[in-house]
Amino acid sequence: MISYKTLGLVNTREMFKKAVKGGYAIPAFNFNNMEQLQAIIMASVETKSPVILQVSKGARNYANQTLLRYMAEGAVEYAKELGCEKPEIVLHLDHGDTFETCKSCIDMGFSSVMIDGSHLPYDENVALTKKVVEYAHQFDVTVEGELGVLAGVEDEVSAEESHYTKPEEVIDFVTKTGCDSLAISIGTSHGAYKFTPEQCTVDPETGRLLPPPLAFDVLAAIEEKLPGFPIVLHGSSSVPQEDVDTINKYGGKMVAAVGIPEEQLRQASKSAVCKINIDSDSRLAMTAAIRKTLAEKPGEFDPRKYLGPARDSMKELYKHKIVNVLGSNDKLDC
């Protein structure tokens, strides 16, 4: 058993309490490799923002659980080296699908886990989430549950249709499970292809697809039922069109990639939504930078020469999200 506290990590409890009270959201950035991790830590230190390092089940298998433990510990020390004496960094399991997966992460030093039973019948979701909570709370690890189903694809998570969270269920779910935060469905979606063209409208000036608006009425109803309770939004990448254009310009083929408008995420951040998950945007920034470098320098074969610019691009993306979308900057006494 490895305690996250010995790694210098924190759980989400106080972090979320401050975010709800302050009207901002904590960035939850998924990562798969060293360059993404470096970019996240650099951005969080430069903006003085708390941050959640998210690892999906697939990313954990890709990186190796033992390496992840030391990467997380290294991230804390790296933040200190960059000048932040008291970083607030969470290592979080994104979309854990079984008790065994969540337990394994807790045992290996994760400070927060998500158990996603949203695909199960309601009573089974409650029972599974409660089981994870009871184990996690023994070690002061926080737990995120989920009600409602998001459409789209992200690693092992896949659903063709979304189902909004039912506000009438949230009190019962939180009371019975004891979860520390709740992921809800109000129209966000996983991946870079969040909506079909039929679901969108066309901007007459740019010709680009515009997604349907988020269901803020559902969010308001949930907030009324659970005043002050930490709410989480998954599938919240904005799919920057400049990165999509760059990818396509240099040999890619991304058609009808549409994300969540940043103004809607800004609105959500000022509510009880205190954690917003972003994954696809960093993948796009990384891929765009790599494609551009290799196209302009076709003889290049040193990974540092194309991964370096990709890291820089991701860092700027993370800083933009922190400062201009989530509002979590200047919340640390670095």
Side-chain angles (χ1 to χ4, degrees):
M1 179 71 193
I2 299 162
S3 171
Y4 68 86
K5 295 176 183 179
T6 66
L7 306 181
L9 301 167
V10 299
N11 66 26
T12 61
R13 193 169 291 115
E14 290 301 315
M15 188 181 284
F16 285 173
K17 188 181 298 183
K18 292 176 184 177
V20 172
K21 184 177 180 180
Y24 60 91
I26 307 295
F29 297 130
N30 288 67
F31 79 100
N32 301 275
N33 59 25
M34 183 186 74
E35 286 77 17
Q36 284 180 305
L37 182 60
Q38 287 176 313
I40 292 169
I41 298 302
M42 287 189 288
S44 66
V45 170
E46 290 179 21
T47 59
K48 298 182 179 181
S49 172
V51 71
I52 296 170
L53 303 175
Q54 288 203 153
V55 181
S56 67
K57 181 180 176 182
R60 185 170 180 247
N61 291 337
Y62 177 82
N64 176 268
Q65 64 175 6
T66 302
L67 279 175
L68 273 175
R69 165 199 170 183
Y70 290 104
M71 289 176 79
E73 186 174 18
V76 174
E77 294 306 315
Y78 183 40
K80 293 178 181 178
E81 182 182 306
L82 291 174
C84 186
E85 294 183 6
K86 299 178 181 178
E88 293 182 9
I89 299 173
V90 173
L91 180 62
H92 175 77
L93 171 65
D94 190 22
H95 287 290
D97 57 350
T98 65
F99 170 79
E100 289 74 21
T101 297
C102 291
K103 179 181 183 299
S104 177
C105 287
I106 293 166
D107 293 348
M108 285 297 291
F110 279 62
S111 57
S112 176
V113 295
M114 178 200 184
I115 178 63
D116 183 359
S118 61
H119 59 288
L120 298 171
Y122 179 79
D123 289 342
E124 292 181 30
N125 187 3
V126 168
L128 177 59
T129 304
K130 181 180 180 181
K131 184 177 181 181
V132 172
V133 168
E134 288 176 344
Y135 185 78
H137 282 184
Q138 296 178 75
F139 308 103
D140 201 24
V141 171
T142 42
V143 178
E144 175 186 326
E146 180 164 355
L147 269 179
V149 179
L150 271 68
V153 178
E154 180 187 29
D155 287 354
E156 297 86 0
V157 182
S158 177
E160 291 186 5
E161 295 183 359
S162 63
H163 301 282
Y164 287 168
T165 302
K166 298 176 182 177
E168 62 271 18
E169 292 180 344
V170 295
I171 295 177
D172 183 69
F173 185 85
V174 168
T175 302
K176 287 181 176 177
T177 64
C179 65
D180 301 285
S181 61
L182 183 65
I184 63 170
S185 174
I186 59 169
T188 55
S189 180
H190 291 129
Y193 300 94
K194 298 182 184 298
F195 308 99
T196 65
E198 292 75 24
Q199 292 175 295
C200 302
T201 56
V202 178
D203 187 328
E205 295 184 6
T206 65
R208 295 190 186 277
L209 296 176
L210 300 175
L214 298 181
F216 282 101
D217 57 330
V218 175
L219 174 58
I222 292 170
E223 287 185 294
E224 185 178 339
K225 299 285 186 182
L226 293 173
F229 191 80
I231 300 299
V232 177
L233 285 188
H234 284 243
S236 298
S237 284
S238 297
V239 187
Q241 289 302 304
E242 59 269 26
D243 287 330
V244 173
D245 291 344
T246 299
I247 289 170
N248 290 338
K249 178 181 178 181
Y250 294 107
K253 190 176 182 181
M254 297 190 68
V255 180
V258 181
I260 308 300
E262 289 187 339
E263 58 268 24
Q264 293 190 40
L265 297 177
R266 275 192 289 271
Q267 182 180 342
S269 298
K270 298 180 186 301
S271 68
V273 172
C274 63
K275 173 177 178 274
I276 291 183
N277 294 9
I278 297 170
D279 185 5
S280 296
D281 284 355
S282 64
R283 297 184 185 195
L284 292 168
M286 185 176 203
T287 301
I290 290 172
R291 280 189 174 275
K292 183 175 186 292
T293 300
L294 293 180
E296 294 177 346
K297 301 175 181 179
E300 188 58 73
F301 65 95
D302 182 346
R304 295 169 296 183
K305 296 298 176 64
Y306 53 82
L307 291 176
R311 181 181 58 194
D312 295 340
S313 181
M314 288 187 291
K315 186 184 81 166
E316 293 308 311
L317 168 76
Y318 295 138
K319 289 174 65 175
H320 166 72
K321 295 291 184 181
I322 288 169
V323 175
N324 299 313
V325 181
L326 309 180
S328 63
N329 55 300
D330 298 320
K331 301 301 186 293
L332 292 182
D333 184 21
C334 284

